[in-house]
Amino acid sequence: MELNSDRISQNYQSILEDIKKYSPYPEEVKILFVSKYLGIEEQEALINMGYSYFGENRAQVYRDKLERFSSEKYENLVWDFIGRLQKNKIKYIINSVNLIHSIDSYELLDEINKKAIENDRIINGLIQVNVSKEESKTGVYIEDFKKDSEKYFSMSNVKIIGFMTMAPFEASESEINNYFLNMRKLKEEYQKQHDYVTEISMGMSNDYIEALKNGATILRIGSKLYW
C-alpha cells in the first residue's frame, strides 16, 4: 500500500475536527491507527510522518514490528493490541503492550494475568463486549458481565480500565447509536465503582461519529485515514 502523507494528514485533521464537533469530552479522545494494513516499510513511513499510536490485530505481527522498532529512536511509540488474542499468543505481546482491547472472556483475562505475573508487569486491559449479541463476534454480553463483574476487576496484574465493542457493519445509524449508548452507560456505571474505568474503545472508519456522540475515548481507524 502506497501512503500519501498529505492525504493522511488531511484525513487525520478531518477526524480531529469531528472529535471537537461531536465528542462530549474531545480532550480525552485518541485516534488509534489500525496498522494491520501496513508492512514494515509502510509502518516506518507512517512513523516518519510523526504518528505514534498504533493498534495491531495479530500477535506475531505485533512481535515482529516491536522488534523492528525497538531502538531509542522509536521510544515514543505506543502499541495496543486490538485483535482476537489466543492464549498461546499472549507471550508475543505481554512484555510491551500498552493496552489490550480484546479481552473477550474471563478465561482469557485469567491467562493474561498469569503471564503478567510471570513477566512482572501490570497490564491495562479492556473487556470486549458483544453489545449486539452477534453470533459471529466474540465478547461478553452486558448482562453476563454484570452478573460477575467483580471477578473481572479482581486480577492482581491486569487492570480493567474500560470496555471495547464493535457494532454490526450492516446496522442502521439508530441501531449503532443505541449499541454505543449502552456502552456509555456501562462505562459510567462501573466508573462510579472504579474510578480508573475511563476508556471506551469503539468507533471505526464507518461509525466513529456515532461512537463520539456516545463518549468513545479511543477510535480505531484504518481505511478512513489511509484512503
Side-chain angles (χ1 to χ4, degrees):
M1 178 172 62
E2 186 174 347
L3 299 179
N4 182 305
S5 60
D6 289 337
R7 183 183 301 118
I8 291 172
S9 177
Q10 290 171 2
N11 292 341
Y12 190 83
Q13 291 301 317
S14 176
I15 296 170
L16 287 177
E17 289 303 314
D18 287 334
I19 290 171
K20 293 176 185 176
K21 183 176 181 180
Y22 295 109
S23 174
Y25 31 68
E27 69 284 352
E28 297 180 18
V29 181
K30 300 169 280 293
I31 301 172
L32 181 149
F33 278 74
V34 176
S35 50
K36 67 178 181 179
Y37 306 97
L38 309 177
I40 294 293
E41 290 184 1
E42 291 96 347
Q43 188 80 53
E44 185 163 25
L46 193 61
I47 292 168
N48 289 336
M49 293 175 200
Y51 303 106
S52 59
Y53 185 34
F54 304 110
E56 276 296 329
N57 288 65
R58 295 173 57 194
Q60 285 110 316
V61 174
Y62 176 99
R63 174 200 60 191
D64 294 345
K65 287 187 179 180
L66 265 289
E67 288 178 356
R68 170 61 181 83
F69 302 109
S70 61
S71 67
E72 190 174 326
K73 175 183 176 181
Y74 303 108
E75 63 183 2
N76 68 317
L77 302 184
V78 177
W79 299 87
D80 287 3
F81 189 80
I82 61 176
R84 188 168 186 184
L85 182 58
Q86 297 173 303
K87 293 177 184 177
N88 64 345
K89 305 291 178 63
I90 297 170
K91 60 188 176 184
Y92 295 136
I93 71 171
I94 195 69
N95 280 314
S96 54
V97 69
N98 170 64
L99 177 63
I100 301 175
H101 294 230
S102 48
I103 302 176
D104 61 6
S105 69
Y106 178 77
E107 292 72 25
L108 178 61
L109 172 61
D110 188 49
E111 193 64 28
I112 294 170
N113 191 64
K114 291 175 184 175
K115 292 293 189 295
I117 292 170
E118 291 173 8
N119 289 272
D120 195 26
R121 285 205 73 199
I122 302 295
I123 301 293
N124 287 329
L126 306 178
I127 298 301
Q128 180 173 336
V129 176
N130 189 343
V131 69
S132 60
K133 297 186 176 180
E134 280 187 285
E135 292 184 2
S136 61
K137 285 190 171 70
T138 63
V140 184
Y141 293 169
I142 287 178
E143 61 268 29
D144 292 338
F145 176 79
K146 288 185 174 183
K147 286 178 189 174
D148 295 312
S149 61
E150 282 314 302
K151 74 178 185 180
Y152 288 88
F153 291 101
S154 67
M155 296 291 123
S156 61
N157 285 56
V158 181
K159 186 176 184 180
I160 298 303
I161 63 171
F163 303 94
M164 183 271 263
T165 201
M166 294 174 280
F169 189 78
E170 70 282 359
S172 68
E173 183 176 324
S174 62
E175 288 172 331
I176 292 170
N177 184 71
N178 187 57
Y179 292 139
F180 289 166
L181 176 60
N182 287 338
M183 292 300 299
R184 180 177 185 170
K185 290 177 179 176
L186 184 69
K187 177 246 189 177
E188 290 175 347
E189 177 180 346
Y190 284 93
Q191 191 171 29
K192 292 175 183 176
Q193 302 173 34
H194 308 280
D195 59 8
Y196 51 82
V197 175
T198 57
E199 303 290 351
I200 312 180
S201 172
M202 63 184 185
M204 298 187 285
S205 294
N206 63 309
D207 58 13
Y208 73 87
I209 297 295
E210 289 78 19
L212 285 171
K213 291 176 181 177
N214 286 287
T217 61
I218 304 173
L219 306 178
R220 307 184 308 277
I221 309 293
S223 57
K224 177 74 175 179
L225 285 164
Y226 303 127
W227 293 294

